[in-house]
Amino acid sequence: MPVQYDLRPYLKVLARIDAINVAGLPDGELKARVDVAGRRAFAGEGLDGLLPEVYAAVREACHRVLGMRPFDAQTMAAMALHEGRLAQLATGEGKTLVAVLPVVLNALARRGVHVFTANDYLAKRDAEWMGPVYRFFGLDVGVVGQEMGGDDRRRAYAADITYVTAKEAGFDYLRDYTADGPESVVQRPYHFVIVDEADFILIDEARVPLVIAGTASGPAIDHGAMADLVRRLRPGVDFRSDEYARTVTLTERGFSRVEELLGGVSLHEPQNHLLLSAVHVALHAERLLQRDRDYIVRSGRVELVDEFTGRVAENRRWPHGIQPAVEAKEGVEVRLEGEILGSIPIQHFVRLYPKIAGMTATAVPAAEEFQEFYGLRTVVFPPHRRSVRSDQPDVVFTDRRAKAAALVEEIARVHATGRPILVGTASVGESEDLAAALRRRAVKCRVLNARHDAREARVVARAGMPSAVTISTNMAGRGTDIVLGGGDARARDRVAGLGGLYVIGTNRHESRRIDDQLRGRAGRQGDPGGSRFFISLEDDLIRRYGVMTLIGERHRPTPQDSPVEDHVVRREIARAQRIIEGQNFEIRRTLWRYSALLDDQRRSVYLWRRSLLYDEVEPEACAAGAPDHYLRLEQAVGAPVLRRTENRLTMHLLDRRWSAHLALVEDIREGIHLQRLGGREPITEFHRQIVTAYASMMDSLREEVVATFRQLSPVGGTVDLARIGVQGPSSTWTYLVNDNPFSTLGISLIAGRSIGYSAAAGLVAAIYWPITAVAMAAGLLRRWIRTRTREAPGASASDDERRTSERR
């Protein structure tokens, strides 16, 4: 079973911990006990036998240093983390403190422990908050932040304990595997990671690919001209979009109109396919992507809005030319896309750790997925104090206008009593529209719809003050306690008497976990609180997935201003949410099957590259393939220099081949669904093709190494690879891709023989077809770029250039 409710095994160990009396020990002796355990752990003794002694000491140290003693449930959850489990603890149960016990225990082995947090602010906050306990036992703690340079990162990862976001650790992994020398590597081998907010990082963010890109020359696409062109097209005449604005296509008249605007070119001619691709991308950006819903414009840059959180997604870009098309549409600087040097989904990155554990308040709905993908069994722990939060039934309206009016009335009514309100919205635009409507009613409110940062945490933490109205995204202040009354005892009593914090959700999400996280902002640690969702039958979730088709004709309400009272409507909306969750799981499962083999190839390539970087392999190809030239160079520069030169040459050519392989795999993905039309199973054919491509890449690499080696000549007792164009890119930068990396795959691959797979196929088509239409044309563009740039040498770059935060 993926979920465990039986806590008896942990209660037995808890009794052993309680039996160890450390309360009367002086600090020195308490430290000495853990120091002895550390020496035993470093010598190779198993940590399980040391757990009771160490946990007893750490629990006492938390009390002395922080003034917080872990409760029994927290201590048992800490045992589960040490076992490599996923601990479900209710919101407000002190997960930050729970992590300290297993972190100390596992850090005693001196192999490093990482704690993944949801954002940089929480990484810094938690490291500073819990740091005194670690230092009490002689352990050092480091924090990795986005703006840090290479030396600071290296020191942070060398610490016994490192707090960092999963994406930043993943970016450093990619940077390390494009490093020119060992001195540029910042991470050491992985040991143990604890993932806080595990459902957000391991489920919602799991498919998001981390990308490292480098400079590459390419065709000069005038995105500004394309943006101007598509604005001149007439909807319904030159192009059509579907009912829900998911797809947009040129009509025959539209093709003719575009050709006319381009000066009479024929878009059907092969030499103009790149131009056609640019038109499709610009049309997609103009008609399907909406400002303040899909993205915002801030400080002269287009910043994407995360589909799961509704807030600005830091450092994320659309693929396939969509990003520069949107930038041109908005009249901001069009940034370089570059050539992908390496990528890895967070899902696969986290699995690089030999031991994984996690914590969240909402694990059970995704327990099967946690077990299947990560081998994590969910253990549910009871709250320290029973929750008394009142979760009211949804209020359903037939249209958005009626819902918006009811929301304003409800907020104004409750605000008049002095009760604090937290409103979770689905988009930036919605939060601002609601705030404007409230201000017209003289209701003061705070709006949070930007990135995670300290300001957000401070505002959310004060959302429990009397009369406070805070409007934020559905993920408001995750990881931040909302204290009733803001810490003032009299204010707390007043708020508690009014019923505590009132949480209002303005939309249902695709996942119940996100809704539950929003509800969980209220009623923490036994506090009073309440929650309610206001939804309409015109909300995106209802329309996008055709939820109305689940509601029988006689239960479908006609437009009205008052709420819909039919329980069947609420029941079917809840059922649709469960169906969508299941379909999303099937999508992730299928995409996992397609990405697993590429991940095996990535591991193999990176393992070889690391051995080349550290000169751990004895080169043989050049001595065997060009023996006379090898001997002449060896006599000129010496065997050690020549060995390093051959390894560096092999490493750089491997980088170039791997980059081309990633692009080829992406092209295969985009067309693999057509295999079904020929009666072949797409996944089988996909595996066959990428295995063949990988074997071809590795076979031809040896020949390329030897051929390039023959061009080398000694200069001043060394060999300069740059003289023959063997160099890395002039600069590199990292970003996340805001897209399903399998673009067209999902439309048909997931359609299998079962009802679940067929339903999932329709879901993927609904979600990803806008990207698909663009991606198929964009594949032509990428292939053309590769043929023009594969042999083009790049210029060197300093480590500071490579890690500049602006380009990262």
Side-chain angles (χ1 to χ4, degrees):
M1 293 291 292
V3 182
Q4 175 183 335
Y5 294 94
D6 183 5
L7 302 182
R8 285 176 294 181
Y10 299 111
L11 288 169
K12 292 179 181 179
V13 181
L14 181 65
R16 292 173 57 194
I17 295 172
D18 288 339
I20 301 173
N21 186 6
V22 295
L25 297 179
D27 287 356
E29 189 170 341
L30 195 65
K31 297 175 184 179
R33 288 199 177 193
V34 173
D35 187 55
V36 170
R39 289 197 294 270
R40 290 162 61 188
F42 189 71
E45 183 173 339
L47 296 178
D48 292 353
L50 302 174
L51 186 149
E53 182 83 15
V54 172
Y55 273 29
V58 176
R59 192 167 62 169
E60 177 63 22
C62 289
H63 176 63
R64 296 184 187 184
V65 176
L66 302 176
M68 298 184 294
R69 181 183 179 85
F71 306 129
D72 287 351
Q74 291 175 307
T75 305
M76 290 189 291
M79 299 176 207
L81 294 180
H82 170 67
E83 292 178 338
R85 301 280 193 261
L86 182 63
Q88 175 169 299
L89 290 153
T91 51
E93 289 297 303
K95 292 185 286 293
T96 304
L97 184 64
V98 169
V100 173
L101 282 75
V103 164
V104 171
L105 176 62
N106 285 268
L108 296 179
R110 302 292 176 174
R111 295 168 59 192
V113 176
H114 293 176
V115 180
F116 285 169
T117 63
N119 57 73
D120 283 351
Y121 164 73
L122 291 177
K124 185 174 184 293
R125 185 204 69 177
D126 292 355
E128 291 177 349
W129 190 8
M130 301 295 120
V133 178
Y134 300 136
R135 288 187 284 272
F136 180 88
F137 293 112
L139 300 169
D140 55 338
V141 58
V143 183
V144 177
Q146 184 183 3
E147 305 302 324
M148 290 173 58
D151 291 340
D152 290 337
R153 288 171 183 268
R154 193 174 299 106
R155 283 190 290 270
Y157 284 118
D160 297 307
I161 301 138
T162 306
Y163 282 80
V164 60
T165 64
K167 67 180 181 184
E168 206 58 44
F171 284 145
D172 283 325
Y173 168 79
L174 292 174
R175 292 187 191 104
D176 281 354
Y177 281 95
T178 55
D180 290 327
E183 69 282 354
S184 298
V185 174
V186 301
Q187 292 184 337
R188 54 174 166 165
Y190 301 140
H191 173 219
F192 176 41
V193 63
I194 295 177
V195 184
D196 195 10
E197 306 295 356
D199 60 324
F200 174 62
I201 294 173
L202 300 183
I203 302 296
D204 298 336
E205 293 278 289
R207 284 204 324 258
V208 176
L210 306 167
V211 173
I212 184 167
T215 50
S217 59
I221 300 295
D222 190 340
H223 293 285
M226 293 297 103
D228 291 339
L229 184 150
V230 298
R231 288 193 191 103
R232 299 170 68 180
L233 300 180
R234 296 157 295 180
V237 178
D238 298 324
F239 65 88
R240 296 192 182 95
S241 58
D242 72 343
E243 179 185 359
Y244 306 118
R246 293 187 302 243
T247 66
V248 60
T249 56
L250 288 172
T251 63
E252 282 300 321
R253 186 175 296 182
F255 267 94
S256 300
R257 175 66 171 158
V258 170
E259 290 173 339
E260 176 188 334
L261 292 173
L262 290 172
V265 302
S266 173
L267 293 177
H268 297 286
E269 295 295 326
Q271 65 268 24
N272 292 323
H273 282 173
L274 297 178
L275 199 55
L276 176 60
S277 171
V279 172
H280 279 151
V281 169
L283 188 59
H284 175 101
E286 178 68 28
R287 306 303 304 190
L288 299 185
L289 297 175
Q290 295 182 19
R291 185 170 178 167
D292 292 337
R293 186 195 69 181
D294 302 299
Y295 65 92
I296 66 170
V297 177
R298 181 168 59 183
S299 303
R301 301 181 73 169
V302 169
E303 296 187 307
L304 279 60
V305 174
D306 187 279
E307 62 181 303
F308 293 108
T309 67
R311 64 155 51 86
V312 173
E314 182 181 342
N315 198 24
R316 194 171 297 187
R317 294 173 64 84
W318 282 298
H320 308 309
I322 299 174
Q323 184 78 22
V326 175
E327 290 167 345
K329 166 189 173 181
E330 296 295 342
V332 301
E333 180 187 0
V334 176
R335 291 183 288 163
L336 183 68
E337 287 197 296
E339 180 180 25
I340 292 178
L341 306 177
S343 68
I344 186 170
I346 289 177
Q347 192 177 58
H348 288 296
F349 168 67
V350 172
R351 283 170 53 90
L352 294 173
Y353 286 81
K355 183 176 176 181
I356 306 169
M359 306 179 292
T360 184
T362 48
V364 170
E368 183 181 354
E369 191 164 352
F370 282 123
Q371 185 169 61
E372 181 173 331
F373 292 161
Y374 304 100
L376 286 172
R377 189 178 188 187
T378 298
V379 186
V380 180
F381 294 92
H384 181 61
R385 295 188 179 93
R386 186 175 64 87
S387 174
V388 294
R389 186 183 68 233
S390 174
D391 297 327
Q392 298 298 313
D394 294 352
V395 185
V396 181
F397 294 88
T398 56
D399 56 79
R400 289 178 176 176
R401 181 196 56 78
K403 182 185 78 169
L407 271 170
V408 172
E409 287 299 323
E410 177 74 353
I411 294 169
R413 180 188 66 81
V414 175
H415 173 67
T417 69
R419 185 180 184 185
I421 304 167
L422 175 66
V423 185
T425 63
S427 70
V428 173
E430 184 182 27
S431 65
E432 293 177 347
D433 289 345
L434 179 58
L438 289 173
R439 288 172 185 136
R440 288 194 292 270
R441 290 287 300 271
V443 175
K444 294 182 179 180
C445 59
R446 300 291 298 272
V447 180
L448 290 171
N449 52 29
R451 68 181 65 180
H452 289 288
D453 56 17
R455 174 182 173 272
E456 172 178 309
R458 287 194 297 269
V459 172
V460 170
R462 297 181 63 81
M465 295 286 290
S467 300
V469 177
T470 307
I471 301 174
S472 186
T473 60
N474 287 329
M475 302 287 284
R478 197 163 183 167
T480 303
D481 266 328
I482 298 178
V483 179
L484 296 188
D488 180 85
R490 293 181 62 183
R492 185 203 178 283
D493 291 342
R494 179 188 171 195
V495 170
L498 293 169
L501 179 67
Y502 182 30
V503 171
I504 298 176
T506 65
N507 293 267
R508 279 292 189 175
H509 197 271
E510 289 181 18
S511 170
R512 288 170 295 168
R513 292 180 293 100
I514 306 301
D515 294 341
D516 290 344
Q517 282 284 344
L518 180 59
R519 289 190 191 277
R521 310 312 302 164
R524 300 161 73 91
Q525 284 284 353
D527 285 340
S531 71
R532 184 162 231 170
F533 280 79
F534 285 65
I535 59 180
S536 86
L537 300 181
E538 292 182 342
D539 288 346
D540 287 344
L541 181 76
I542 309 298
R543 290 169 56 86
R544 187 185 309 146
Y545 298 105
V547 175
M548 290 296 290
T549 61
L550 298 177
I551 302 173
E553 287 285 349
R554 66 189 185 92
H555 291 283
R556 292 183 190 176
T558 56
Q560 59 187 59
D561 291 337
S562 58
V564 176
E565 299 297 339
D566 194 334
H567 74 280
V568 172
V569 175
R570 283 197 295 267
R571 184 190 68 197
E572 292 306 313
I573 291 173
R575 184 165 77 95
Q577 194 176 34
R578 293 192 298 272
I579 292 171
I580 293 166
E581 283 181 330
Q583 292 174 343
N584 282 331
F585 180 25
E586 292 296 340
I587 292 171
R588 290 189 290 266
R589 173 184 280 158
T590 301
L591 295 176
W592 173 270
R593 294 171 66 202
Y594 278 84
S595 62
L597 183 56
L598 181 63
D599 186 59
D600 290 341
Q601 294 176 350
R602 179 190 299 108
R603 292 194 189 206
S604 178
V605 166
Y606 282 7
L607 182 63
W608 186 24
R609 193 190 192 281
R610 188 177 184 87
S611 67
L612 292 168
L613 185 69
Y614 286 94
D615 294 322
E616 296 171 348
V617 291
E618 193 71 39
E620 300 174 354
C622 296
D628 295 338
H629 190 59
Y630 191 93
L631 182 59
R632 284 194 297 271
L633 287 178
E634 187 177 45
Q635 291 172 345
V637 302
V641 171
L642 190 58
R643 172 184 173 176
R644 285 195 298 273
T645 298
E646 183 175 350
N647 281 344
R648 295 301 181 273
L649 172 63
T650 305
M651 186 174 70
H652 283 290
L653 294 180
L654 175 63
D655 289 347
R656 190 178 297 176
R657 293 277 180 152
W658 178 245
S659 177
H661 181 68
L662 290 177
L664 176 61
V665 169
E666 188 170 348
D667 289 345
I668 294 172
R669 285 169 177 159
E670 288 168 3
I672 200 66
H673 63 286
L674 300 175
Q675 295 294 330
R676 193 178 294 283
L677 301 178
R680 290 184 289 269
E681 185 62 32
I683 189 168
T684 303
E685 187 63 20
F686 176 76
H687 285 166
R688 186 192 67 78
Q689 290 190 30
I690 69 169
V691 166
T692 301
Y694 181 79
S696 176
M697 175 189 77
M698 300 303 285
D699 289 343
S700 60
L701 178 62
R702 178 187 176 93
E703 298 174 5
E704 185 180 11
V705 169
V706 173
T708 309
F709 180 80
R710 288 195 177 99
Q711 303 175 37
L712 298 177
S713 58
V715 178
T718 187
V719 179
D720 185 5
L721 293 174
R723 293 186 65 187
I724 60 170
V726 179
Q727 292 177 297
S730 60
S731 62
T732 63
W733 58 95
T734 56
Y735 59 90
L736 298 99
V737 177
N738 198 60
D739 177 39
N740 168 16
F742 291 81
S743 51
T744 64
L745 264 187
I747 292 179
S748 61
L749 302 179
I750 300 176
R753 294 180 177 84
S754 71
I755 294 175
Y757 270 87
S758 298
L763 177 63
V764 177
I767 297 173
Y768 294 121
W769 173 244
I771 299 291
T772 296
V774 173
M776 294 180 72
L780 293 169
L781 178 63
R782 287 197 308 276
R783 283 190 287 273
W784 189 87
I785 292 172
R786 288 203 306 276
T787 59
R788 292 290 300 271
T789 63
R790 188 167 296 164
E791 303 303 325
S796 61
S798 68
D799 187 68
D800 289 338
E801 261 187 293
R802 190 171 292 108
R803 298 187 184 281
T804 173
S805 60
E806 179 181 335
R807 307 196 81 169
R808 190 183 307 118

